[in-house]
Amino acid sequence: MSVSIDISGLAPERISVVPSPLAELGMALHALAEPAHHPGLQGWTTAVSARLDPCLADRLCEADFLWRTTFSDVFAPFAGIPGRATLPGATLAEELDLLDKLTDRQFVDAALEFTCQNSYALREANPLDDPDMHRRALDLAATRGLPQVQFTQRLLDDPPAVRAWFRRLVEDCEEAFFADIWARVHHQLAADARHKTELLRRKGVAEALTAVSSVVTLDETANLITVDKITVGRTTTEDGGLVLVPTSLGWPHLMVLHRFGWQPAITYPVGSPGLTTPATVEQLTRRMTALAHPVRMRLCRHLARGAYTTSELSDAHGMTAPEISRHLTVLKKAGLITTRRRGRYVQHQLDLTAVARLGSDFIEGVLR
């Protein structure tokens, strides 16, 4: 599973690395709504939540599905501007001006992304003019509570009013807490953008993408960027560009904007507290599958306590040596055991570090 971006014909100079204050605000709102996703930000989320004006907190609850369970593309309006070559603005006000340039249809599509779109990367009917999509949007909003239903109904009835409401909400968030955050992080993000741009210029696209994340790779023969995620999607740059957006609040999330008709973009975390080389989806699947077998679970109990030969494990478990060998091979291919030779004996032992990382690997994988 992965999301891929076809960059056939894309010149390196049309790949831009640019921080986005609006995207960073979206990350901040997500961290406030889902602090468990971001344990490294716990002190900040607790402090901001404690001093948040109750009226602003209530307004944030009205449309929190825009940032709680998904990352709505209303936080990346540059990608929806015709020509597919616009870059994020330098200030929140500039990016809100870009948001104002989107059509009502684009805004509604992006705002109701989680509630009414099955095929994100495909052209679909819009709930503003399709009765079935209109009903579906309201039905799915109902599963998230009355405030979301009311917000969705207002959005479908009067998009300009909700757009104005959303702009005021963003401006109030900037005044309440985001201006301080942006003043603290934008220098780091700008420095990272300069570094990635220099890598693009000096060492090429593949090297720059590897620096973005080890889960982002380039097949130079096929001109295809692949982002290893537990989801499937595909887009193309066509005659537009590709934007890489660094975020200081985003880990463990790495997002790929591949909405139909919009400019592709990758939002990636910098200064990640996670592993330098996170497990791929394939590795994670292989390891969890390996541990799902009861015999291999019992073998791990032995191998966690010390190093054993195949013969010793065979005697302990009442199985033949070939049967034990087959199970050990599965565990070894999954990277869960190590093997060493002692004279004429080969001993196997559980890699406790790899097993201990499974929980964090799984969380990072499903949230990526």
Side-chain angles (χ1 to χ4, degrees):
M1 291 182 284
S2 61
V3 178
S4 57
I5 304 173
D6 185 341
I7 61 169
S8 298
L10 180 69
E13 57 268 21
R14 286 198 282 127
I15 301 177
S16 305
V17 191
V18 186
S20 163
L22 187 56
E24 196 73 348
L25 173 59
M27 289 296 181
L29 291 172
H30 172 73
L32 289 170
E34 291 288 357
H37 290 190
H38 306 272
L41 299 175
Q42 184 176 2
W44 174 80
T45 56
T46 301
V48 171
S49 298
R51 68 172 187 265
L52 204 59
D53 177 76
C55 180
L56 178 57
D58 289 343
R59 290 161 63 202
L60 288 173
C61 288
E62 290 186 51
D64 72 345
F65 64 81
L66 296 178
W67 53 79
R68 179 187 289 274
T69 54
T70 187
F71 293 95
S72 170
D73 290 338
V74 298
F75 292 99
F78 66 89
I81 302 299
R84 297 158 59 100
T86 302
L87 299 180
T91 66
L92 207 53
E94 289 178 19
E95 295 218 88
L96 289 173
D97 289 343
L98 291 177
L99 187 63
D100 288 343
K101 293 181 179 180
L102 299 183
T103 65
D104 285 346
R105 191 184 204 282
Q106 286 179 302
F107 185 88
V108 170
D109 270 344
L112 298 182
E113 167 190 325
F114 187 73
T115 56
C116 66
Q117 286 194 323
N118 294 323
S119 303
Y120 173 81
L122 302 175
R123 183 190 296 275
E124 280 197 333
N126 187 275
L128 286 179
D129 43 44
D130 184 280
D132 290 337
M133 292 298 289
H134 188 285
R135 283 191 297 270
R136 177 170 174 76
L138 292 172
D139 287 345
L140 293 177
T143 66
R144 289 159 185 85
L146 182 59
Q148 282 70 40
V149 174
Q150 293 172 337
F151 177 87
T152 302
Q153 187 66 67
R154 294 204 319 271
L155 177 60
L156 294 173
D157 290 345
D158 191 354
V162 173
R163 296 178 67 166
W165 176 91
F166 181 76
R167 178 165 186 142
R168 287 194 300 273
L169 179 69
V170 169
E171 292 169 341
D172 290 345
C173 286
E174 180 179 32
E175 182 179 350
F177 62 87
F178 184 69
D180 292 338
I181 299 172
W182 188 245
R184 188 174 72 248
V185 306
H186 85 274
H187 296 296
Q188 177 196 17
L189 299 181
D192 185 84
R194 288 192 297 270
H195 172 62
K196 299 296 191 301
T197 301
E198 189 67 9
L199 281 177
L200 275 169
R201 188 176 69 86
R202 291 182 174 274
K203 297 189 176 182
V205 178
E207 192 82 15
L209 291 175
T210 298
V212 163
S213 172
S214 62
V215 303
V216 183
T217 57
L218 172 66
D219 182 336
E220 298 189 73
T221 302
N223 288 314
L224 195 69
I225 296 172
T226 299
V227 183
D228 188 55
K229 291 172 67 74
I230 306 181
T231 186
V232 177
R234 186 179 178 91
T235 188
T236 176
T237 54
E238 296 181 347
D239 57 350
L242 171 67
V243 182
L244 308 177
V245 180
T247 168
S248 66
L249 304 176
W251 187 87
H253 308 294
L254 188 150
M255 283 77 66
V256 184
L257 195 163
H258 56 288
R259 176 178 294 278
F260 180 85
W262 289 41
Q263 180 179 197
I266 300 174
T267 302
Y268 65 94
V270 302
S272 165
L275 304 173
T276 54
T277 307
T280 66
V281 172
E282 181 182 359
Q283 289 171 327
L284 181 60
T285 303
R286 189 185 301 124
R287 289 175 178 177
M288 299 186 74
T289 301
L291 292 174
H293 197 287
V295 171
R296 292 193 282 272
M297 287 284 285
R298 291 198 299 271
L299 285 173
C300 286
R301 185 174 185 272
H302 263 89
L303 298 173
R305 300 180 180 193
Y308 293 90
T309 66
T310 301
S311 296
E312 289 175 312
L313 293 169
S314 176
D315 290 340
H317 291 269
M319 301 172 66
T320 66
E323 288 175 318
I324 293 294
S325 292
R326 284 195 291 271
H327 286 297
L328 290 175
T329 297
V330 173
L331 291 169
K332 187 172 183 179
K333 286 183 177 179
L336 296 174
I337 63 172
T338 59
T339 300
R340 64 187 179 188
R341 180 174 290 279
R342 289 288 178 86
R344 64 190 182 92
Y345 297 103
V346 176
Q347 296 179 322
H348 312 280
Q349 190 165 13
L350 193 67
D351 186 338
L352 294 178
T353 301
V355 176
R357 282 207 311 257
L358 272 174
S360 58
D361 283 346
F362 178 74
I363 294 298
E364 194 275 344
V366 298
L367 292 180
R368 188 190 300 156

